Amino acid sequence: PPCAPRALVLAPTRELVLQICDDAAKVGKYCPFHTVAVFGGMDYGRQQQELRAGRLDLVAATPGRLLDYASKKALRLDQVEVLVIDEADRMLDMGFIPDVRRIIRLLPPRERRQTMLFSATLSKSVLDLASQWMTDQVVIQAEPERVTVSTLDQKVWMVTSREKPVVLYNFLRKHGQGRVLVFVNRRYEAERVGRELQRHGIPCEYLSGERDQKVRLKILDGFKSGRIRVVVATDVAGRGLHVDDIETVINYDLPYEAEDYVHRVGRTGRAGAQGEAISFACEDESFVIPEIEKFLGQSIKHGYPPEEYLKPAPPTPPAARSEPARHGPGRYR
């Protein structure tokens, strides 16, 4: 018979679902409750078996795959006592709200469950959702996330868009062995930058929503363990993912929103450790810097990269140059 979880956590990304399950395991280390992660891109039958394997206390899920299992009667949602909707603002941005509405219709009425909604921003749209899904809702607003000068050295390097690749290459070549997380704004850029670094002898991986789920999990595990030192990523890695001891975050592309900057650089300088955040500001993106500084409530050091970082990278090996060009989204241009 289908199991009926007591608690349900909905999250917009697979990585965040896994992080929630990891945290649940740590918090409930000495509690005999059973947690299952439900998301697309992994073995369908195996997840279904886990859902049917007896008692089920907590399910953390992405909306689409959860609806799939519910429609096939692999689990029941009519016994849920606690509903948590994580990253509600991203749920809105990513178009998940229709699926969330369908899921909520399968739950007990709002008067018979506790509902918690977490969001980085309390927009009118998010508050409207809260009023629909909660009774007697209470807003608890934490202080906006801030980075502290004592643990994080922030700097902006003024470069041209053509200088970005060589500055990144030279920085990584001279940086040593610490973990480095490089942020870009687009999926195809993550692949392009990652592969270009690999061609020039910089061991790294790239992480974006287009990569196979098993590959993404393998990269994250390797980054956490230290086996992978450099990861080029889109913002899929920016929220909810915790990797200890990242020494440097590089904004290869400056983010479009000030809050995204804070989420990115917050991956380093954690728990009192020293960290470094370097942002490349080119002619296309410098306009966002005043907004970021206003949000931070402080100015960021501006300057130019060391002269040695502007030296051209060595020629690409012949084997790499002979690779045929590919075009289109997510491919070389």
Side-chain angles (χ1 to χ4, degrees):
C3 290
R6 297 176 56 202
L8 173 64
V9 183
L10 298 177
T13 66
R14 305 156 182 172
E15 290 80 9
L16 191 51
V17 165
L18 288 172
Q19 185 66 51
I20 290 166
C21 285
D22 286 344
D23 290 343
K26 294 172 184 174
V27 171
K29 182 177 180 180
Y30 301 105
C31 299
F33 65 77
H34 182 46
T35 302
V36 173
V38 172
F39 52 88
M42 295 296 284
D43 190 314
Y44 188 95
R46 178 182 172 186
Q47 284 186 352
Q48 194 167 23
Q49 286 179 355
E50 289 187 37
L51 290 172
R52 294 179 179 273
R55 178 182 172 187
L56 183 59
D57 296 291
L58 170 66
V59 168
T62 53
R65 179 55 66 94
L66 182 72
L67 276 174
D68 194 6
Y69 284 128
S71 68
K72 291 179 168 57
K73 310 299 182 184
L75 82 166
R76 295 165 42 206
L77 298 175
D78 58 345
Q79 301 298 312
V80 169
E81 300 170 17
V82 179
L83 168 67
V84 177
I85 301 170
D86 200 9
E87 301 275 12
D89 52 340
R90 292 189 71 194
M91 290 280 201
L92 280 164
D93 293 342
M94 297 170 73
F96 282 132
I97 296 305
D99 283 349
V100 175
R101 292 187 193 280
R102 291 173 60 195
I103 290 168
I104 287 178
R105 285 197 289 267
L106 300 175
L107 304 179
R110 57 185 179 177
E111 297 83 8
R112 289 172 40 205
R113 68 171 192 266
Q114 182 181 15
T115 303
M116 289 177 279
L117 183 150
F118 292 89
S119 178
T121 56
L122 289 176
S123 64
K124 182 180 183 300
S125 298
V126 171
L127 292 173
D128 286 345
L129 294 178
S131 65
Q132 295 172 38
W133 297 338
M134 299 177 179
T135 58
D136 302 322
Q137 66 266 23
V138 175
V139 176
I140 300 175
Q141 190 164 2
E143 284 294 319
E145 185 177 358
R146 291 290 187 267
V147 292
T148 57
V149 176
S150 61
T151 60
L152 181 61
D153 178 24
Q154 300 176 77
K155 62 187 73 169
V156 171
W157 282 351
M158 310 304 292
V159 297
T160 67
S161 57
R162 295 185 65 180
E163 289 171 338
K164 281 184 179 183
V166 68
V167 172
L168 178 63
Y169 164 78
N170 283 315
F171 175 86
L172 294 175
R173 186 170 60 88
K174 299 174 183 294
H175 185 67
Q177 298 303 312
R179 289 186 184 88
V180 180
L181 182 56
V182 181
F183 277 107
V184 295
N185 287 342
R186 299 175 180 85
R187 292 177 177 181
Y188 74 83
E189 192 78 351
E191 179 179 1
R192 187 188 68 78
V193 172
R195 290 192 181 278
E196 194 68 24
L197 290 173
Q198 291 171 357
R199 287 197 198 100
H200 284 90
I202 302 292
C204 73
E205 286 289 350
Y206 65 94
L207 188 64
S208 76
E210 285 188 340
R211 301 215 72 175
D212 179 80
Q213 178 63 18
K214 293 181 180 178
V215 173
R216 290 162 67 182
L217 295 179
K218 185 177 180 180
I219 292 170
L220 287 172
D221 287 343
F223 196 43
K224 290 177 181 178
S225 69
R227 181 172 48 83
I228 297 172
R229 186 176 73 91
V230 180
V231 169
V232 182
T234 58
D235 280 303
V236 72
R239 290 192 185 186
L241 297 175
H242 308 293
V243 178
D244 293 333
D245 303 322
I246 295 177
E247 287 192 4
T248 305
V249 168
I250 295 178
N251 286 309
Y252 187 87
D253 298 325
L254 276 165
Y256 303 121
E257 302 290 340
E259 285 194 39
D260 289 332
Y261 172 89
V262 173
H263 287 300
R264 288 181 180 188
V265 302
R267 301 307 98 198
T268 184
R270 302 171 71 90
Q274 293 298 310
E276 180 181 37
I278 302 173
S279 298
F280 293 175
C282 68
E283 63 274 15
D284 298 322
E285 300 159 354
S286 299
F287 67 93
V288 303
I289 295 175
E291 180 185 344
I292 291 172
E293 292 180 326
K294 180 180 178 181
F295 185 80
L296 293 174
Q298 67 183 69
S299 61
I300 305 173
K301 291 181 292 186
H302 293 56
Y304 295 91
E307 192 67 31
E308 59 183 332
Y309 287 0
L310 296 171
K311 294 180 180 178
T316 304
R321 286 202 305 270
S322 64
E323 183 178 340
R326 295 185 291 167
H327 302 280
R331 290 175 166 78
Y332 310 120
R333 299 192 301 172

